[in-house]
C-alpha cells in the first residue's frame, strides 16, 4: 500500500502527541463519525450528511476549515515503521564459501535496497494540489491532512477520502474498490463521496479531505489484509505469477507490480483484464518487491540447468572411475586381502574420491549466472537514473535491448511541449503571426479573450519565470497555456476575467476527453440567458459552426462551402507547416426560451458561431532527429502515434526524420486505419493489420483504442521471422492499456498522469525521446555483459572439469584441490560477474540490429572463442602436469601419498591455471570477434580493480596459503613462467579471431529461449481466458466456501488416483465419488463464481501438464485447472465430461478433478 499509512503525517509542525481525545474536544466531529460516514455510499451518504451536518460546508465548519482557508491541524493515524531485513545466517565453513555467500548476499541486498529506493522515490514524487491559506500549492501526498481542500482533475489517483465541494462533469473509476468497470458520476446532489485509490477519468473539482492513511477506504482494506496476510503469502506466490501472465497475452510477461503513491496497490484502472476487488491477495502483495523472470533470465536458467546436469554426470563418472580403479588395482592386480585394521584407510581413500567428485561438480555448476544478471540489471538501472530513466521493473531495461519498434507520442516526447500560437485566422483574415490587438474589432477581441479565459481549465496558467531571463512557466495543459499566451500577446490579462467569473460561477463544463476532442463551458448571464464557449480540434468544431464572425464583428452565415474554403486556404496550409489547429467558437441561448437539456451534449454543442482558428506550434526538440537516426541505424522502427491531424503529424514526422522522401511508407488517420483492419462484421483481423503495420510510420487522429490495437497487432504478428518487441510512450490516462500491453511502457515523468505512470515500466524523468535511445543502449549492454561473462565462465568450466576428471582418472588425485577449486569458482563466478557485468555501454551497440527474443545466448563466434581458449589452456595444464617436473627440475607431485605436504609441481599448475583465467577475463570483454580487447578498459574502474585485486590475492594464496590451500612457495622464475603462460591467452586470442567463424560449420549455438511448445497448455490457456465482470462480485464467505470445496476436491482426487491405479478397469465411472455429484445437488448449485482462486494446488497443475500435452485435451471448456470458469454453472454437464473417457486413464482422473 506504499505509504498510505504515512499520509497521516500532519504538516507544519503538528505534534504527534495529540491524542484522539483531544481531537474530539477540538473539533465538532470525531474520527469514528468520519469513518462511519465514509463507509456509506451515494444516497445513504447524502442523507446522513443532510441529517447530521446540513451540507458539506457543515462538515467543513466542524473541521474548522473553509473551502479557501485551510486549518490543517488534524492528524489521523500514526506512522508505521518498516521492519529491518534480517541478517543472513549460516556458519562459515571455508573462507572462500563465505566469500561467495557474502558477495551473493550483498548483491541481493543492494538490489532490494534499490527497489525500495525507487519505490520511495516514486512515492515522494507523487504530489497533490491543495488549497491552504487561500494559496494553491502542491504537496507530497504524505502531507495531506483531514480538512485540506484538495483539487482533483482528470488523470489523478485520489490519495485520500473526501467529500465533493464543487465539481465539473466529474467521473470516477471505482473499479479498484468495487470491481465495477463503469465510471461513476460524482455530483453534489447525488453522490458526493470520493474514495482513496480511485481514478479520476473525466472532469475536475474540489473536495474536503475527511480521511487519510489507515482510516481511508484503501487504508481500512489494508488493515484488514494485514491481519491474515502472512500464512497465505507463500502458497499464493506461484499462482500469482501464473495469473499475472493473463494481463498481456505473452508468456514471458512481467508481474506488473504497479505500486504507486498513496494507494500503492495493484489497481487495474483501465479496461484491464483483471478486476481489482476480489483480488485481496493482489493488494496484500503489492507492497512486496516482485520476483520477475525476464526472457534473459529464462534463457540463463535453462542453460545453467543443462550445464549443471552435465557437471553432475561428469562428477558421478569421476567418482565411479576412481573407486573402481582403486578397488581393482588394490584387490585384483596387487591381490591384497581386505584387512579389518586397514578399513579406516580405505574409507579415507573413498572420502577423498568423493571430495574430488564434489570438486568437479562445484566447478561445473555455474552459480554465477543468475548473479551476473542481477548485478548487470541492478547496475544498469542505477546508471539509467542518470540518463533520466526511472526503471520500475528490472527486466524492462533488458527487454528494451531487444526492441524492434517504438511507438512514440508526438507532443512533449518528440517536441518541446512548449506550445505557442504562431498563426491565427480572425475576422476573415489569415495572420501569419499574432496580430496587433488594434487590428481586431473590439467585440471579437472581447469574445475571444473571455472564451479563452473561462474555457481553459482554471488549473492551466502562465507563471513568471523561475529565474531572470528564463521563459515564463507553463502550468497545466500545454495547449491551453498556448491560448492563454495568445491572450497575453493581445495585451489582455486572462486573470482579470477569471477573477470576475470564478470557477464556481461556471454553470456547466463539458471537460476535454479523448472521445469529445473538445471542451465547452456554459456561463449564465444576469438576464437569464446562457452563453456557451467551445474549443477543440478545428475540423470537429467547424462542422458544428453555422455562423462566423465577419470583419466588422457581426455574425454571418457559414455554409459548408465556406467551411471547405477555410479548410483548404487556412487549416491545411497551417497543418502542412506542422501547426496544430484549434477552433474557438460560441453560442447564445436567449433568455425567453425554456432551459436546454444540458445533459444532451450533442444538442448543446451545435449551431456554434466561429470566433477564430489558431495555429499552435510545438517545436521539435533539437536532439530528436539525431536520436531517431540512431534508432533507425540500430534496426528499430520509430512510429509516431498522435491525436493531431494528419498534416501536422506528417510535417513533424518529416522534421524528426521518421519519414524520408522517396521511401515507401504509410501515414493513416485513426478512422482510415480502423476501416482497413476490420472486416465486414467490424471485427479486427490480424491478417489485415499485418498488411499495414510494416509500412505504417504515422498514425494521426488516433484514439487510445487505436494505439492499443496497433501495439497488440504488431506484438501478435507472425509476418517477420522474429516476434516484434514493442516499446510505447504515453502520458495520458487513456494511454494506460497500450502502456500495459507493450513489452516496455514508457510514461512521461513531467507531463504523465498517475494512471500512465502506474501502467508503465520505465518513467522518463525528462519526457525526452533521447532518453529512450539511452534505454536501448543500456538494454543491449546488459545482454552483451551477460554474454561476455558466459564466454569467460564456460571456458573455465570446460577446462576445470576436464583437468579434474582426466587428472583424477590418470593420477588418482585431482591436480586442483577442493579449496583451490573453490577459489577458482569464486573468481570465475562472483568476481567475474561483477567485473564483466558492469561494463559501460558504448555507441557501437547501436550499430547492430536487435538480437530478437530467440537468439541463443552463446553465438558461434563465442563458441569458437570458448573452445579455442579451452584448447590452449588444456594443452598448457597437461604439459605442466605430465612434464612440468622435468621442465622446472623439481619433484613430481603425481602419485603422492594420502597426506603428503603440498608440492611445488601442483602449485605451478594451479598458479598458471588461475593466471590464464585472469588474462582470459580481458579476452572475454569482446564477444563479436573484435581484435582490440583493451579498448575502453580504463573506463571500467570496477573491472581493473577486480583483476588487480584477484592477482594480489593469488600471490598471497600461493606464497602464504600453505597447507589449507595446498600451495607451496614459488620462486621469482616460476612466477614469471606462470605469468608468461597466462599472457599467452591474449596472443592466442588474436590467433583465434583470425579464423573466420563462417568456416566452422560444425559449431553449435547454445542458450536458446523457451520455445512455445515447451510451455504447459494451461499457461497458454490463461492468456485466452476472458473474465466476466459478474465474476468479480465474490465476497469473503464465497471465497471460504470455495476453499472448502478445494480441499474436499483435492482429497477426493488423491483417493481417485490411488483407486484408479489399484483397481484399474474394475469400477464403473458412475461409482466414482466426484465433487460434482455433491455440487449438482439443487441446494448447492453455484451460480456466480470467481476466477482468481485456482481449486488445485500449483504443484498439481504442473503434474497435470504432461498428461494434457500427451493426450487429447479434456472436453471441458475450462483449460485453466480452475473448477470455476467464466460464468460457469458447475452442474451435471461437467460430470458428464468427467465420465467421458476410460475409467482408469490418467486423463479420467484429471477430468474428474476439473
Amino acid at each position: 500500500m506504499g505509504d498510505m499509512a504515512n499520509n497521516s503525517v500532519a504538516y507544519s509542525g503538528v505534534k504527534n502527541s495529540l491524542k484522539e481525545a483531544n481531537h474530539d474536544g477540538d473539533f465538532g466531529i470525531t474520527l469514528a463519525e468520519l469513518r462511519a460516514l465514509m463507509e456509506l455510499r451515494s444516497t445513504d451518504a447524502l442523507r446522513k450528511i443532510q441529517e447530521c451536518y446540513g451540507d458539506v460546508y457543515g462538515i467543513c465548519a466542524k473541521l474548522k476549515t473553509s473551502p479557501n482557508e485551510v486549518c490543517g491541524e488534524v492528524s489521523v493515524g500514526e506512522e508505521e515503521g518498516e521492519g529491518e531485513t534480517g541478517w543472513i545466517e549460516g556458519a562459515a565453513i571455508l573462507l572462500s564459501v563465505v566469500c561467495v555467500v557474502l558477495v551473493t548476499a550483498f548483491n541481493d541486498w543492494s538490489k532490494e535496497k534499490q527497489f525500495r529506493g525507487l519505490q520511495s522515490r516514486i512515492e515522494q514524487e507523487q504530489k497533490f494540489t491543495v488549497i491552504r491559506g487561500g494559496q494553491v500549492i502542491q504537496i507530497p501526498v504524505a502531507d495531506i491532512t483531514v480538512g485540506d481542500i484538495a483539487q482533483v482533475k482528470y488523470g489523478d489517483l485520489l490519495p485520500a477520502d473526501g467529500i465533493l465541494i464543487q465539481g465539473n462533469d466529474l467521473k470516477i473509476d471505482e473499479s479498484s474498490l468495487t470491481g465495477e468497470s463503469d465510471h461513476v458520476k460524482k455530483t453534489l446532489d447525488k453522490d458526493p463521496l470520493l474514495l482513496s485509490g480511485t481514478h479520476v477519468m473525466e472532469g475536475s473539482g474540489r473536495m474536503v479531505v475527511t480521511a487519510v492513511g489507515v482510516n481511508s477506504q484503501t487504508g481500512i482494506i489494508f488493515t484488514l489484509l494485514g491481519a491474515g496476510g502472512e500464512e497465505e503469502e507463500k502458497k499464493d506466490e506461484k499462482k500469482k505469477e501464473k495469473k499475472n501472465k493473463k494481463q498481456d497475452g505473452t508468456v514471458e510477461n512481467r508481474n506488473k507490480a504497479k505500486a504507486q503513491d498513496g494507494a500503492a496497490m495493484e489497481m487495474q484502472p483501465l479496461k484491464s483484464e483483471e478486476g481489482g476487488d476480489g483480488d485481496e491477495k493482489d493488494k496484500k502483495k503489492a507492497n512486496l518487491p516482485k520476483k520477475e523472470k525476464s526472457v534473459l533470465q529464462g534463457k540463463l536458467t535453462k542453460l545453467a540447468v543443462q550445464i549443471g546436469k552435465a557437471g553432475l554426470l561428469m562428477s558421478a563418472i569421476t567418482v565411479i572411475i576412481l573407486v573402481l580403479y582403486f578397488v581393482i588395482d588394490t584387490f585384483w592386480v596387487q591381490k591384497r586381502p581386505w584387512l579389518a585394521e586397514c578399513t579406516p584407510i580405505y574409507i579415507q581413500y573413498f572420502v577423498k574420491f568423493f571430495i574430488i567428485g564434489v570438486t568437479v561438480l562445484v566447478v561445473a555448476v555455474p552459480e554465477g549466472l543468475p548473479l551476473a544478471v542481477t548485478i548487470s540489471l541492478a547496475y544498469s538501472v542505477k546508471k539509467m537514473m542518470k540518463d533520466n530513466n526511472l526503471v520500475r521493473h528490472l527486466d524492462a531495461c533488458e527487454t528494451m535491448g531487444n526492441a524492434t519498434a517504438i511507438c512514440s507520442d508526438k507532443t512533449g516526447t518528440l517536441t518541446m511541449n512548449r506550445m505557442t500560437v504562431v498563426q491565427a485566422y480572425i475576422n476573415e483574415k489569415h495572420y501569419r503571426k499574432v496580430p496587433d490587438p488594434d487590428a481586431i474589432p473590439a467585440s471579437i477581441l472581447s469574445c475571444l479573450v473571455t472564451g479563452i479565459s473561462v474555457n481553459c481549465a482554471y488549473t492551466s496558467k502562465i507563471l513568471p519565470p523561475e529565474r531572470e531571463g528564463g521563459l515564463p512557466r507553463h502550468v497545466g495543459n500545454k495547449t491551453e497555456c498556448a491560448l492563454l499566451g495568445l491572450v497575453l500577446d493581445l495585451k489582455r490579462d486572462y486573470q482579470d476575467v477569471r477573477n470576475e467569473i470564478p470557477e464556481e460561477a461556471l454553470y456547466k463544463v463539458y471537460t476535454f476527453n479523448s472521445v469529445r476532442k473538445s471542451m465547452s463551458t456554459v456561463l449564465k448571464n444576469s438576464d437569464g440567458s446562457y452563453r456557451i464557449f467551445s474549443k477543440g480540434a478545428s475540423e470537429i468544431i467547424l462542422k458544428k459552426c453555422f455562423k462566423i464572425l465577419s470583419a466588422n464583428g457581426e455574425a454571418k452565415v457559414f455554409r459548408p462551402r465556406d467551411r471547405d474554403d477555410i479548410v483548404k486556404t487556412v487549416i491545411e496550409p497551417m497543418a502542412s507547416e506542422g501547426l496544430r489547429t484549434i477552433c474557438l467558437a460560441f453560442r447564445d441561448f436567449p433568455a425567453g426560451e425554456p432551459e436546454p437539456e444540458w445533459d444532451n451534449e450533442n444538442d448543446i454543442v451545435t449551431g456554434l458561431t466561429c470566433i477564430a482558428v489558431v495555429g499552435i506550434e510545438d517545436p521539435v526538440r533539437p536532439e530528436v532527429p539525431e536520436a531517431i537516426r540512431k534508432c533507425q541505424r540500430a534496426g528499430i522502427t520509430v512510429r509516431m502515434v498522435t491525436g493531431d491531424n494528419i498534416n501536422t503529424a506528417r510535417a513533424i514526422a518529416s522534421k524528426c526524420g521518421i519519414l524520408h522522401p522517396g521511401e515507401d511508407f504509410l501515414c493513416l488517420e485513426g478512422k482510415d486505419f480502423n476501416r482497413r483492419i476490420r472486416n465486414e462484421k467490424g471485427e479486427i483481423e490480424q491478417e489485415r493489420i499485418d498488411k499495414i503495420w510494416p509500412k505504417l510510420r504515422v498514425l494521426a487522429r488516433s484514439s487510445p483504442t487505436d494505439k492499443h490495437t496497433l501495439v497488440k497487432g504488431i506484438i501478435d504478428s507472425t509476418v517477420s521471422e522474429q516476434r516484434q518487441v514493442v516499446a510505447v510512450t504515453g502520458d495520458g490516462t487513456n494511454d494506460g492499456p497500450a502502456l500495459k500491453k507493450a513489452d516496455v511502457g514508457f510514461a512521461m515523468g513531467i507531463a504523465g498522469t498517475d494512471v500512465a505512470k502506474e501502467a508503465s515500466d520505465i518513467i522518463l524523468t525528462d519526457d525526452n525521446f533521447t532518453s529512450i535511445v539511452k534505454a536501448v543502449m543500456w538494454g543491449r549492454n546488459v545482454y552483451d555483459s551477460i554474454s561476455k561473462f558466459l564466454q569467460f565462465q564456460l571456458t573455465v568450466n570446460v577446462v576445470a572439469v576436464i583437468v579434474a576428471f582426466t587428472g583424477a582418472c590418470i593420477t588418482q588425485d585431482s591436480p586442483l584441490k577442493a579449496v583451490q577449486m573453490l577459489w577458482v569458482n569464486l573468481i570465475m563466478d562472483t568476481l567475474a560477474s561483477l567485473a564483466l557485468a558492469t561494463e559501460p555501454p558504448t555507441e557501437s551497440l547501436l550499430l547492430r540490429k536487435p538480437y530478437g527474443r530467440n537468439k541463443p545466448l552463446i553465438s558461434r563466434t563465442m563458441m569458437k572463442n570458448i573452445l579455442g581458449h579451452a584448447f590452449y589452456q588444456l594443452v598448457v595444464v597437461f604439459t605442466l602436469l605430465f612434464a612440468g617436473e622435468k621442465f622446472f627440475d623439481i619433484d613430481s607431485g603425481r602419485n603422492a601419498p594420502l597426506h603428503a605436504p603440498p608440492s611445488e609441481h601442483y602449485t605451478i599448475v594451479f598458479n598458471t591455471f588461475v593466471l590464464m583465467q585472469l588474462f582470459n577475463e580481458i579476452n572475454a570483454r569482446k564477444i563479436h570477434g573484435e581484435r582490440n580487447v583493451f579498448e575502453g578498459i580504463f573506463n571500467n574502474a570496477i573491472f581493473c580493480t577486480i583483476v588487480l585485486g584477484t592477482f594480489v590475492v593469488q600471490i598471497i594464496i600461493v606464497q602464504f596459503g600453505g597447507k589449507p590451500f595446498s600451495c607451496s612457495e614459488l620462486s621469482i622464475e616460476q612466477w614469471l613462467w606462470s605469468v608468461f603462460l597466462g599472457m599467452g591467452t591474449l596472443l592466442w586470442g588474436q590467433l583465434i579471431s583470425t579464423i573466420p567463424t563462417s568456416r566452422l560449420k560444425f559449431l553449435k549455438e547454445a542458450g536458446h529461449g523457451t520455445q512455445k511448445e515447451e510451455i504447459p497448455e494451461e499457461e497458454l490457456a490463461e492468456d485466452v481466458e476472458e473474465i466476466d465482470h459478474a465474476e468479480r462480485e465474490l465476497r469473503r464467505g464465497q471465497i471460504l466456501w470455495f476453499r472448502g470445496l478445494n480441499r474436499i476436491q483435492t482429497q477426493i482426487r488423491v483417493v481417485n488416483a490411488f483407486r484408479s491405479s489399484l483397481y484399474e478397469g474394475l469400477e464403473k465411472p458412475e461409482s466414482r465419488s466426484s465433487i460434482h455429484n455433491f455440487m449438482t445437488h439443487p441446494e448447492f448449485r453455484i451460480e456466480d463464481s470467481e476466477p482468481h482462486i485456482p481449486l488445485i494446488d500449483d504443484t498439481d497443475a504442473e503434474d497435470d501438464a504432461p498428461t494434457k500435452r500427451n493426450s487429447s485435451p479434456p472436453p471441458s471448456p475450462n483449460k485453466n485447472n480452475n473448477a470455476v470458469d467464466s460464468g460457469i454453472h458447475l452442474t451435471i454437464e461437467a460430470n458428464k465430461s468427467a465420465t467421458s473417457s476410460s475409467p482408469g486413464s490418467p486423463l479420467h482422473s484429471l477430468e474428474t478433478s476439473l
Side-chain angles (χ1 to χ4, degrees), residues 406-418 618-629 631 638-642 648-649 651-659 697-698 729 731 748 764 766-770 772-773:
I406 298 174
C407 296
S408 173
D409 273 356
K410 175 178 74 70
T411 311
T413 314
L414 300 173
T415 58
M416 291 173 77
N417 202 9
R418 193 175 176 81
D618 186 8
V620 172
R621 289 178 182 265
E623 63 275 24
V624 161
E626 176 57 27
I628 287 180
R629 199 158 45 249
C631 280
V638 182
R639 293 181 176 83
M640 181 198 286
V641 183
T642 176
T648 312
I652 298 284
S654 300
K655 285 180 190 171
C656 291
I658 291 174
L659 303 180
R697 292 294 176 273
V698 175
T729 68
D731 54 5
M748 302 297 145
L764 296 177
D766 63 345
D767 289 16
N768 193 336
F769 186 84
T770 46
I772 299 176
V773 182

Side-chain angles (χ1 to χ4, degrees), residues 419-439:
M419 303 285 203
T420 37
V421 174
V422 288
Q423 295 187 23
Y425 178 81
I426 309 178
N427 60 20
E428 298 185 300
K429 275 191 202 147
H430 184 179
Y431 295 94
R432 290 281 167 187
K433 58 182 199 296
V434 176
D436 194 80
D438 303 334

Side-chain angles (χ1 to χ4, degrees), residues 917-931:
Q917 306 321 324
L918 268 184
F919 285 106
N920 194 33
E921 203 165 330
I922 298 170
N923 271 330
R925 293 182 67 248
K926 302 292 174 194
I927 52 171
H928 299 299
E930 299 94 328
R931 282 193 173 281

Side-chain angles (χ1 to χ4, degrees), residues 1023-1034:
D1023 301 340
V1024 183
E1025 190 183 27
E1026 287 295 320
I1027 294 168
D1028 193 80
H1029 288 302
E1031 294 170 18
R1032 298 175 174 175
E1033 297 305 311
L1034 250 184

Side-chain angles (χ1 to χ4, degrees), residues 334-394:
Q334 299 178 22
K335 298 205 168 28
R336 288 188 187 171
W338 181 295
L339 301 170
E341 58 268 22
C342 295
T343 305
I345 295 178
Y346 297 149
I347 287 172
Q348 277 187 323
Y349 269 108
F350 291 143
V351 169
K352 180 184 163 188
F353 299 151
F354 179 72
I355 287 173
I356 291 169
V358 170
T359 308
V360 174
L361 181 64
V362 164
V363 174
V365 176
E367 313 90 287
L369 281 187
L371 182 67
V373 186
T374 308
I375 293 173
S376 190
L377 287 174
Y379 173 77
S380 302
V381 167
K382 201 169 183 182
K383 293 289 183 189
M384 282 169 82
M385 267 309 308
K386 292 178 183 165
D387 286 338
N388 302 306
N389 284 286
L390 176 67
V391 180
R392 289 177 44 124
H393 299 109
L394 260 189

